[in-house]
């Protein structure tokens, strides 16, 4: 009997060409589908649906996928089976059997992203794939003063990368925070919103770092919402600092 | 004028075939010597001396090297120059010009190693190269009770890997600690001693984990010192968990 599984996964994005399947590329989707189709004893091909894509080099602490599987495997068995099949840069953190109405992409209420910036004059060898390095002076108070402008419902056209297929660019950000992790010499951003456009978080972080460095006025986001022009905001912070931290769903399963 | 430099380096050992130069291999020594010999405008070939070797996959937070350089470059200039030449998995943390009597290997008073063990049923993707994964139950109190047996001057013949060139196997360990990092779900060992034999820390950690798991009596180290037989202690914990954390020198430079 076919059952729907909701699976929460973590991955180190360094060696993946992003989430979405692409010919000749090692992607999160292809690696998971390969494992599932080895576990599957029917002729049916298993496809997975993710809450959304992540780019090459972007990490996930808790990405969510769903798929329909034609064998009656308990949730814990599925978790263990998948973990035994998957490579070490991809881990199943949680697995539940859910109602057919659950959809990893369409049922989302919001997503939380974290962005880690490492400080210091030189790149820390242990962080080169797991943070963005930013050596310039930063006034965190300026960034903190800009964050209320990020929160709310805005047209993020100035913050969307070419290649986006989104029809409209209005999104709502519920929370935007920054904190300094002095012990690790990092600055850490978090954004929680109802959805994010292609590269939106990385473009926003690049603009916020420019505000912190004094290269952009503190309340420049208000102007950027008006001008609706990516050329006003053309930098993109590196993929290595970005983590999909949480996907929140509308109703409990 | 030739000057001696004492340089403290950090490296992610994952992509190095260890510290020591070997034909056709990417090693810490060869990467640094290549950079130095590009900076050097004389015919003289620059060699570096490390405080000791680290194996493939072993990390360093503060390895120390010295070399003689035939140009009068200030310490900060050497640090910046080297960091601009070196790959991102190797960083110069500190650089000093020292007296010719300083020797990175012979002047050592002691070395501190850290060993990180990650817990949980499955491998955390972000820790696969930076910890050893140990999924079995551990009684930390048993390990803690064994650590006083580690401290002191002992014959570590049971804890030395084949391939060691050490003539005698007596070493002194000044400190041996274990702590649980609950936030990161890790168990972290530290050992400070006057010197360590080939693979000694990794073999000791493997034995301590067996004590914690109940597979070996708490005070088995006392017996292992007596039997002087590696076969009694044949496991070696993985390189990925080991960090050279500090090298302490006899006199201030």
């Amino acid at each position: 009997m076919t059952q729907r599984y909701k699976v929460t996964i973590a991955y180190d994005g360094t060696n993946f060409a992003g989430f979405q399947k692409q010919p000749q590329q090692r992607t999160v989707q292809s690696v998971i589908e390969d494992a599932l189709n080895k576990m599957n004893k029917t002729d049916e091909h298993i496809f997975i649906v993710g809450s959304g894509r992540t780019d090459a080099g972007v990490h996930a602490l808790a990405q969510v996928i769903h798929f329909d599987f034609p064998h009656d495997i308990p949730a814990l068995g599925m978790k263990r089976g998948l973990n035994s099949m998957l490579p070490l840069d991809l881990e199943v953190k949680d697995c539940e059997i859910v109602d057919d109405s659950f959809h990893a992409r369409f049922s989302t209420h919001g997503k939380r992203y974290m962005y880690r910036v490492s400080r210091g004059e030189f790149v820390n060898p242990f962080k080169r794939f797991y943070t963005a390095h930013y050596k310039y002076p930063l006034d965190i108070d300026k960034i903190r003063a800009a964050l209320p402008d990020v929160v709310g419902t805005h047209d993020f056209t100035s913050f969307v990368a070419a290649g986006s297929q989104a029809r409209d660019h209005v999104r709502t950000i519920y929370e935007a925070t920054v904190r300094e992790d002095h012990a690790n010499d990092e600055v850490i951003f978090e954004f929680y919103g109802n959805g994010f456009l292609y590269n939106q978080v990385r473009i926003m972080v690049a603009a916020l770092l420019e505000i912190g460095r004094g290269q952009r006025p503190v309340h420049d986001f208000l102007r950027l919402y008006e001008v609706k022009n990516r050329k006003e905001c053309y930098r993109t912070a590196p993929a290595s600092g970005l983590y999909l931290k949480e996907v929140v769903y509308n109703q409990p399963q």
Side-chain angles (χ1 to χ4, degrees), chain A:
Chain A
M1 199 199 80
T2 291
Q3 293 188 114
R4 180 158 294 188
Y5 292 83
K6 174 192 176 192
V7 174
T8 305
I9 56 175
Y11 46 86
D12 175 343
T14 309
N15 297 322
F16 288 107
F19 182 87
Q20 196 182 34
K21 197 155 49 181
Q22 295 175 63
Q24 320 296 337
Q25 299 278 343
R26 182 177 188 266
T27 70
V28 173
Q29 183 176 9
S30 61
V31 162
I32 298 174
E33 288 183 358
D34 286 353
L36 286 171
N37 284 296
K38 277 180 198 151
M39 292 165 70
N40 171 24
K41 305 303 173 204
T42 71
D43 290 338
E44 207 174 318
H45 190 82
I46 316 288
F47 297 93
I48 68 166
V49 175
S51 75
R53 305 170 192 175
T54 54
D55 267 353
V58 173
H59 311 292
L61 302 177
Q63 164 75 294
V64 176
I65 62 168
H66 86 254
F67 55 84
D68 296 322
F69 198 73
H71 304 283
D72 190 7
I73 299 180
L76 186 61
M78 178 62 80
K79 177 181 172 180
R80 289 189 170 146
L82 270 176
N83 272 326
S84 72
M85 307 276 291
L86 290 170
L88 293 182
D89 51 353
L90 210 164
E91 182 193 358
V92 172
K93 305 290 280 187
D94 197 38
C95 179
E96 299 169 63
I97 294 170
V98 291
D99 193 89
D100 278 4
S101 66
F102 175 80
H103 191 284
R105 186 156 84 249
F106 300 139
S107 309
T108 55
H109 171 71
K111 286 186 184 174
R112 186 180 297 274
Y113 280 96
M114 174 170 76
Y115 197 95
R116 287 174 61 188
V117 177
S118 61
R119 309 288 285 136
E121 187 180 353
F122 307 108
V123 174
N124 177 323
F126 298 97
K127 296 186 177 183
R128 66 198 194 285
F129 298 131
Y130 305 109
T131 61
H133 179 239
Y134 198 78
K135 66 180 174 183
Y136 305 106
L138 279 178
D139 182 340
I140 298 294
D141 288 336
K142 283 188 176 171
I143 295 175
R144 216 165 257 135
L147 288 175
D149 300 343
V150 176
V151 174
T153 302
H154 304 289
D155 185 320
F156 286 98
T157 300
S158 292
F159 301 89
V160 60
S164 164
Q165 289 163 17
R167 271 156 294 182
D168 90 291
H169 297 155
V170 175
R171 296 290 183 277
T172 299
I173 296 185
Y174 308 124
E175 285 173 44
T177 61
V178 69
R179 68 184 173 88
E180 290 178 275
D181 178 344
H182 293 287
N184 292 308
D185 206 11
E186 293 185 17
V187 172
I188 299 168
F189 293 91
E190 285 202 19
F191 302 95
Y192 179 49
N194 69 348
F196 293 90
L197 299 162
Y198 186 48
N199 280 359
Q200 182 183 339
V201 175
R202 292 165 57 188
I203 297 169
M204 291 196 308
V205 166
L208 288 164
L209 291 172
E210 289 172 337
I211 288 171
R213 195 181 164 186
Q215 292 180 318
R216 197 182 271 282
V218 169
H219 293 293
D220 207 34
F221 273 65
L222 303 178
R223 185 183 67 84
L224 292 165
Y225 297 142
E226 290 302 316
V227 296
K228 299 180 181 58
N229 184 352
R230 175 73 210 283
K231 287 180 184 144
E232 295 283 331
C233 201
Y234 60 85
R235 285 204 175 82
T236 306
S240 53
L242 186 61
Y243 294 74
L244 175 55
K245 192 176 174 184
E246 191 186 7
V247 187
V248 178
Y249 287 93
N250 280 317
Q251 59 263 22
Q253 276 77 44

